[in-house]
Amino acid sequence: MITHIVEIICLVFAILFLRNEKRTFAKITIGYLIIVVVTELVASFYMRTYHKSNSWMYNLFIWFEAGYISYGFYAVLSPFTKRAKLYSLSAFGIFLVAYFVEMTQVGFFRLHSVTIAIFSVLFVVLSLQFFALLIKKEESFDITKYADFWWVAAVLFFYFGGTVYNIVLSYWINNKVGGLKILVYVMQFLNVVLYFVWSYSFLCSYRQKKLSS
Amino acid sequence: MQLSAEEIIKLIVVGTVIFLIAPLFIVLYIRQYNQQKKRNIEEKKNMALQFDAELLRTQIEVQERTMQTIASDLHDNIGQLLSLTSLTLNSIDIGKDTKAAERLESSRELVKKSISELRGLAKLINGEQILEMGLGYAIQQEIDWLTKSERYTVFTENAILNEDPAHSKKDLILLRLLQEIINNILKHAEAKTLSFEVKIQNNDLLLFVKDDGKGFNIKEKPSGGMGISSMRRRAALIGADIRIDSEINVGTEIVITVQYP
């Protein structure tokens, strides 16, 4: 429930603050957040109504997730390096390979936890790459108004913070031990962090736009 | 090894907290680093402004100094020569004076000397233009002017006379520092002998100035002139170091070292 609320709030923030942005990334962000909200609501409804696993929905959803985050890194890394496209496409390429390999091993209806763990690592590496390039830059920046910085920070918090979650999730799927409830809480907490920081990032983007206009 | 549910919960909670603290540190570190970078940029800007202001002040001082030199040369040297020429010419009576030819010749010599002095003076008119000929040349002009006064025995070793002009801002400040050292010697030192040495050694320019004057106590603040602290501040702008050794009744030695060019 908490996850749904923060996701909807984040979508509202995105629509409010990004709707007039000309940047393609802003438009894609709104689209992606709509997909997030719809997926979460449908998945939740499906599980409650039919009492069946909704993992296959998330297996579909991670296509959008991996695609959006990869494109996001292309957008935020572009001002710093010419290799932004290469990094972004490589991350998405590795995701595709991992996805299809896992599909052949576990099928479509079981959650692709290894693929999720792999792209989590990739996104952590890309986040660190962004911060390294930011530090190298000669000019300073206003951290309170730097939308890209907070977008990447949110990604880093979510995927790096979710490392233990991903490991335990794989372990849980294989062994069916206790402790699933705590995993739900951890994911809820990580989602709150991700969507809260992203919302702040959209606000920064709006402020930036207002300042420059 | 099978973990109990409680252990798994502990592991998940502690692990997640640790994995969240790490990115938090990264964000805080970048914030701190960025603030430091901002401060450095501000400092650099201020230093550049200070440098420009000091450079402007130096340019004005060099011009003032040049004007003083011109005024004193016009009054003491060329003025005297022209007065003497006028007197000599007035004393000639073409019809009666048997020494007229001799006096005319003398007047011609005086006029020639005046022209030569005027030419020398013209070279000094723009202090910065001298630097276009190189720092070695500008330093030599200052020393030559001092030598010409015949008040001092001057020893000079100028090893950079043929060096190309290298760094106009640095050169201007170095020239101004030398001018102020000479000014202090003229005003306070009561010296008889002066030694100047300028050379480049291992990419460092070394300027030695030594006098046999009355010296002073470095710990006491000498009055007048640019002042030692001000000279040091100005030297610091170009990364130069000033070493001053002085002994009462023995003399003073000043060494300026700066990376060059």
Side-chain angles (χ1 to χ4, degrees):
Chain A
M1 189 65 178
I2 289 175
T3 307
H4 297 162
I5 293 168
V6 286
E7 282 165 355
I8 291 167
I9 291 172
C10 189
L11 174 63
V12 171
F13 266 68
I15 294 168
L16 275 177
F17 297 127
L18 302 180
R19 69 175 189 274
N20 294 326
E21 284 251 359
K22 283 176 185 165
R23 211 177 171 198
T24 316
F25 181 44
K27 291 180 175 71
I28 289 177
T29 298
I30 296 173
Y32 171 71
L33 286 171
I34 292 170
I35 293 170
V36 169
V37 171
V38 170
T39 308
E40 288 282 8
L41 290 174
V42 171
S44 174
F45 174 78
Y46 180 83
M47 203 169 76
R48 277 183 198 166
T49 314
Y50 300 106
H51 303 287
K52 281 182 183 172
S53 167
N54 56 12
S55 296
W56 62 273
M57 287 189 187
Y58 287 100
N59 284 345
L60 277 178
F61 169 72
I62 57 174
W63 276 80
F64 294 102
E65 184 181 352
Y68 169 69
I69 306 287
S70 298
Y71 181 80
F73 275 109
Y74 164 68
V76 299
L77 286 172
S78 291
F80 297 95
T81 173
K82 287 175 185 168
R83 292 181 179 174
K85 198 178 251 179
L86 177 75
Y87 292 147
S88 167
L89 286 175
S90 303
F92 194 68
I94 293 169
F95 156 76
L96 287 179
V97 172
Y99 189 92
F100 286 112
V101 169
E102 199 169 10
M103 175 95 105
T104 57
Q105 286 174 350
V106 300
F108 179 66
F109 292 96
R110 212 165 118 180
L111 188 68
H112 289 185
S113 58
V114 176
T115 306
I116 293 170
I118 287 172
F119 74 61
S120 295
V121 172
L122 292 171
F123 295 147
V124 167
V125 171
L126 287 178
S127 304
L128 296 176
Q129 169 79 348
F130 172 81
F131 289 134
L133 291 168
L134 195 65
I135 283 177
K136 270 190 199 166
K137 214 178 165 190
E138 275 184 20
E139 303 93 60
S140 67
F141 55 91
D142 187 351
I143 206 165
T144 57
K145 293 183 187 109
Y146 195 6
D148 289 358
F149 174 84
W150 290 111
W151 186 87
V152 177
V155 170
L156 184 64
F157 275 119
F158 184 77
Y159 289 105
F160 197 66
T163 307
V164 174
Y165 171 89
N166 289 329
I167 295 166
V168 177
L169 186 69
S170 305
Y171 182 77
W172 182 85
I173 288 168
N174 292 321
N175 298 289
K176 297 285 179 193
V177 291
L180 181 65
K181 195 90 177 158
I182 189 71
L183 282 183
V184 175
Y185 293 141
V186 166
M187 189 33 75
Q188 277 181 351
F189 179 71
L190 291 173
N191 271 319
V192 170
V193 173
L194 175 76
Y195 294 112
F196 175 77
V197 182
W198 268 359
S199 300
Y200 180 69
S201 143
F202 305 151
L203 179 69
C204 290
S205 186
Y206 177 73
R207 276 198 214 149
Q208 242 173 353
K209 195 175 178 276
K210 266 209 141 183
L211 275 176
S212 59
S213 63
Chain B
M1 190 187 76
Q2 193 78 15
L3 292 170
S4 70
E6 203 178 317
E7 281 171 329
I8 289 174
I9 291 170
K10 264 188 197 167
L11 189 77
I12 294 168
V13 172
V14 174
T16 303
V17 169
I18 291 169
F19 275 87
L20 277 172
I21 287 172
L24 185 70
F25 268 110
I26 292 172
V27 169
L28 290 175
Y29 171 76
I30 291 170
R31 183 175 165 269
Q32 182 80 11
Y33 187 87
N34 183 56
Q35 280 175 344
Q36 184 66 39
K37 207 192 296 185
K38 209 181 264 180
R39 275 197 292 271
N40 287 347
I41 291 169
E42 284 294 317
E43 265 175 37
K44 262 188 191 173
K45 260 189 203 168
N46 285 339
M47 275 173 74
L49 281 175
Q50 270 181 9
F51 183 81
D52 287 346
E54 201 66 55
L55 200 69
L56 193 67
R57 209 173 298 147
T58 307
Q59 280 170 335
I60 293 166
E61 283 174 7
V62 168
Q63 280 169 3
E64 273 175 10
R65 164 81 186 208
T66 310
M67 296 310 276
Q68 278 171 7
T69 309
I70 291 165
S72 82
D73 256 26
L74 281 172
H75 179 266
D76 302 340
N77 210 347
I78 301 164
Q80 298 289 342
L81 283 170
L82 290 173
S83 301
L84 198 60
T85 312
S86 168
L87 270 174
T88 313
L89 288 172
N90 280 337
S91 67
I92 298 170
D93 187 344
I94 304 279
K96 294 175 187 170
D97 202 338
T98 50
K99 289 184 177 175
E102 201 180 302
R103 283 181 182 170
L104 271 172
E105 185 55 36
S106 168
S107 300
R108 200 182 298 140
E109 283 303 316
L110 286 168
V111 170
K112 254 190 196 173
K113 208 171 173 191
S114 302
I115 291 167
S116 161
E117 291 292 332
L118 271 171
R119 277 184 185 148
L121 202 57
K123 285 180 191 171
L124 277 176
I125 280 179
N126 191 335
E128 274 183 85
Q129 269 177 10
I130 301 173
L131 283 171
E132 284 174 15
M133 308 283 288
L135 179 66
Y137 179 79
I139 288 174
Q140 197 58 46
Q141 289 293 310
E142 289 294 327
I143 298 169
D144 286 350
W145 176 78
L146 201 63
T147 311
K148 212 171 65 180
S149 73
E150 293 175 357
R151 281 170 64 187
Y152 308 97
T153 309
V154 181
F155 297 102
T156 314
E157 269 184 61
N158 187 347
I160 64 160
L161 204 50
N162 298 319
E163 286 284 325
D164 290 332
H167 195 298
S168 61
K169 288 176 184 174
K170 207 179 258 186
D171 288 354
L172 183 70
I173 287 177
L174 282 169
L175 178 67
R176 179 66 199 124
L177 286 171
L178 176 72
Q179 284 180 343
E180 198 48 39
I181 292 167
I182 292 173
N183 199 32
N184 287 339
I185 292 170
L186 295 177
K187 275 187 181 167
H188 311 290
E190 294 170 21
K192 288 187 178 71
T193 310
L194 306 177
S195 305
F196 294 91
E197 189 183 351
V198 53
K199 62 183 176 185
I200 291 176
Q201 208 171 52
N202 303 327
N203 288 330
D204 277 339
L205 183 135
L206 297 161
L207 174 64
F208 299 87
V209 182
K210 195 176 172 186
D211 71 62
D212 62 350
K214 63 179 184 180
F216 64 98
N217 187 350
I218 298 169
K219 284 170 191 164
E220 286 172 20
K221 199 177 166 186
S223 58
M226 196 196 276
I228 290 170
S229 61
S230 176
M231 277 168 71
R232 283 194 200 283
R233 195 192 67 239
R234 202 168 282 190
L237 286 177
I238 54 166
D241 175 63
I242 299 186
R243 186 172 59 79
I244 302 170
D245 291 320
S246 189
E247 208 176 317
I248 305 286
N249 297 326
V250 175
T252 304
E253 186 182 64
I254 299 177
V255 184
I256 297 176
T257 313
V258 64
Q259 197 185 358
Y260 201 83

